[in-house]
Amino acid sequence: MPEGDTAHRTARRLHEVLAGEVLTAFDLRVPRAATADLTGQRVESVRAVGKHLLHRVGEFVLHTHLKMEGEWHTYPRGDRWRRPAFQARAVLATDEWQTVGFDLGVVELLPRDREGDVIAHLGPDPLGPEWDPDLVTARLAADPHPAHVALLDQHNVAGFGNEYANELLFLRGVDPHTPMSRVDVPALVSLGARAIRSNLTRPVRTFTGDTRRGRDHWVYGRTNLPCRRCGTVIQETTLGDATRERRVFWCPSCQASRD
């Protein structure tokens, strides 16, 4: 599942092959931008802010978001794509490389002066240059929602998705239903920043320290399996509103409610 570390790794790779290069092809396969053509323009940079990807090309910004299923691939020119062409939503090419965005949740081309509009709502990003743990702590501590929901709110902190919310709360021993105002927020924020930074450089995201398949998570996706610490059966529920409901996994013993 794409999280903030996925977006930042993707941006870093796209920047490596595109920055400073002139586009020989530019194709956005979405209705609102299908006629846009920046062929001949030079790519200045590609960066991530939270889960948002921003290509600066000439006087424009290409804003994309991976959402649940999106991916950006890079290919030497002429290589066969690893996913079907009908899933492609954006194609940018240079003399040597072709980059393809598949199943992107957001694709929009904006004037450069509107770049700030699409990220203005985001809280500080632990992988960004302007990380501010004190601001994140203040926002989370003031959030009246359950801890799991508050941690996923990108206004509070940018980049944490459902995997991180589940795993961080387990590691801190917090019942996901607990109001965030009753959590040791500074410790949670510190742990989250360390976790996402360590995963940025790993080929496989892990929260246990073990990168072997099936051994990399404590609770996420482990419904009805024994807790790796205490053996209690992992439980699953949902939290959030109807439009942003998320699957929640927790150990009733290691994350016992402190009501």
Side-chain angles (χ1 to χ4, degrees), residues 59-71:
E59 298 301 315
F60 294 89
V61 172
L62 172 61
H63 169 226
T64 63
H65 196 298
L66 303 178
K67 295 294 184 179
M68 299 293 287
E69 305 293 337
E71 294 180 317

Side-chain angles (χ1 to χ4, degrees), residues 96-252:
E96 296 184 4
W97 292 93
Q98 192 171 57
T99 64
V100 187
F102 294 98
D103 281 343
L104 301 172
V106 173
V107 179
E108 58 179 349
L109 190 64
L110 306 169
R112 180 75 74 90
D113 61 6
R114 288 193 55 204
E115 177 179 321
D117 296 348
V118 297
I119 56 175
H121 67 288
L122 298 175
D125 180 348
L127 297 176
E130 299 179 356
W131 171 238
D132 187 341
D134 293 333
L135 177 57
V136 171
T137 296
R139 289 186 176 183
L140 285 171
D143 193 318
H145 293 98
H148 189 95
V149 175
L151 201 54
L152 287 177
D153 188 337
Q154 300 299 293
H155 172 76
N156 293 330
V157 55
F160 293 145
N162 206 32
E163 281 189 52
Y164 275 94
N166 280 284
E167 295 292 299
L168 294 177
L169 293 177
F170 173 83
L171 289 167
R172 289 298 306 162
V174 175
D175 184 314
H177 304 84
T178 304
M180 186 61 90
S181 58
R182 290 170 34 208
V183 173
D184 184 348
V185 177
L188 180 63
V189 170
S190 177
L191 174 65
R194 295 197 307 274
I196 200 167
R197 288 170 184 167
S198 65
N199 278 325
L200 181 63
T201 59
R202 291 182 172 129
V204 176
R205 184 184 300 136
T206 181
F207 299 90
T208 63
D210 191 335
T211 57
R212 290 176 294 176
R213 186 178 180 85
R215 302 287 299 175
D216 45 3
H217 292 81
W218 292 100
V219 292
Y220 182 79
R222 302 193 67 246
T223 309
N224 295 328
L225 294 175
C227 175
R228 299 191 193 280
R229 281 184 176 170
C230 72
T232 301
V233 173
I234 300 299
Q235 302 295 303
E236 178 181 351
T237 188
T238 57
L239 282 173
D241 60 38
T243 60
R244 292 183 294 179
E245 198 170 62
R246 293 292 184 267
R247 298 172 70 192
V248 178
F249 308 89
W250 84 104
C251 171

